[in-house]
Amino acid sequence: MEWDWSAVSDFMPHFWDGLLVTLQILVMGSLLSFVLGLVWALLMRVPSRWVTWPVGAVTEFVRNTPLLVQLFFLFYVLPEWNVTFSALTTGVVAIGLHYSTYTMQVYRAGIEAVPAGQWEAATALNLPVRRTWTAVVLPQAIRRVVPALGNYVISMLKDTPLLMAITVLEMLGEARLFSQQNFQFTEPLTVIGVAFIIVSYLASLALRALERRLAH
């Protein structure tokens, strides 16, 4: 078997299309998981079992079921209830929701790591509860959990190929379609593998830069 550079050249337009879709999923899914995770973490601190029990049950269920099952449920079952989204939107929601149950635990750990003296100081200054959270607790908590959140971003990137199961043509989906149409598998799949390594590496560099910036 010989490496066919013409196959790489033919595949590249499809690769760029898939890369764009992959990055869209990654950015939107990450933002959704960060926001929802923070919401779950804050709701779990509400002093009412009527709030914490349902939130805990839902997040445990989502965290302990496979992402692929959730994708199939959202894409194939919800339309039976007249709830329909595009494949891309379904993928973003599924990934964001799934990973929000993990980022929730990261935020929880960050909040609990804030020294008790910070809470006491806010109480001594008679700060409102909202001000205590937005000005004292959350800035310190989020700074502590950036590395862990960044790791989940990389995990989300590696899970984007699962969206191929619901017809989303991200990088691997484009490679598979091209391979089936042209009977050339080695070149497109190799390009995709290298692309995932490069994107993951660039994401890790960005994460380290953000960590250094927050450390100062």
Side-chain angles (χ1 to χ4, degrees), residues 11 28 38 45 56 104 113 118-119 133 139 162 170 211-212:
F11 172 64
M28 293 187 292
L38 182 58
R45 295 186 67 87
M104 175 191 76
Q118 299 293 316
W119 298 85
W133 279 98
L162 290 175
E170 39 65 63
E211 288 181 49
R212 289 194 294 269

Side-chain angles (χ1 to χ4, degrees), residues 78-97:
L78 288 187
E80 296 182 3
W81 300 344
N82 297 319
V83 180
T84 305
F85 301 103
S86 68
L88 180 61
T89 300
T90 300
V92 169
V93 170
I95 282 186
L97 177 62

Side-chain angles (χ1 to χ4, degrees), residues 163-181:
L163 274 63
M164 181 175 57
I166 59 170
T167 73
V168 175
L169 290 179
E170 39 65 63
M171 286 195 294
L172 185 59
E174 290 283 2
R176 182 187 180 191
L177 182 61
F178 179 87
S179 299
Q180 291 174 340
Q181 292 175 342

Side-chain angles (χ1 to χ4, degrees), residues 65-192:
T65 53
L67 175 57
L68 188 58
V69 173
Q70 296 164 18
L71 282 168
F72 283 158
F73 183 87
L74 293 175
F75 192 67
Y76 294 110
V77 177
L78 288 187
E80 296 182 3
W81 300 344
N82 297 319
V83 180
T84 305
F85 301 103
S86 68
L88 180 61
T89 300
T90 300
V92 169
V93 170
I95 282 186
L97 177 62
H98 184 79
Y99 275 93
S100 72
T101 61
Y102 294 95
T103 59
M104 175 191 76
Q105 298 298 332
V106 173
Y107 285 123
R108 179 189 59 78
I111 291 171
E112 292 179 354
V114 175
Q118 299 293 316
W119 298 85
E120 295 168 357
T123 302
L125 293 172
N126 200 29
L127 291 179
V129 174
R130 179 178 300 179
R131 182 66 175 168
T132 298
W133 279 98
T134 58
V136 179
V137 178
L138 289 181
Q140 297 183 64
I142 292 175
R143 185 178 294 111
R144 295 170 184 269
V145 302
V146 165
L149 293 178
N151 289 335
Y152 282 122
V153 171
I154 296 175
S155 295
M156 275 185 267
L157 171 66
K158 292 186 288 187
D159 275 346
T160 55
L162 290 175
L163 274 63
M164 181 175 57
I166 59 170
T167 73
V168 175
L169 290 179
E170 39 65 63
M171 286 195 294
L172 185 59
E174 290 283 2
R176 182 187 180 191
L177 182 61
F178 179 87
S179 299
Q180 291 174 340
Q181 292 175 342
N182 297 275
F183 302 101
Q184 293 173 304
F185 294 88
T186 301
E187 292 81 5
L189 292 177
T190 301
V191 170
I192 294 303

Side-chain angles (χ1 to χ4, degrees), residues 39-55:
V39 171
W40 302 144
L42 294 177
L43 287 176
M44 287 299 291
R45 295 186 67 87
V46 173
S48 170
R49 295 186 63 183
W50 294 102
V51 175
T52 57
W53 190 88
V55 171

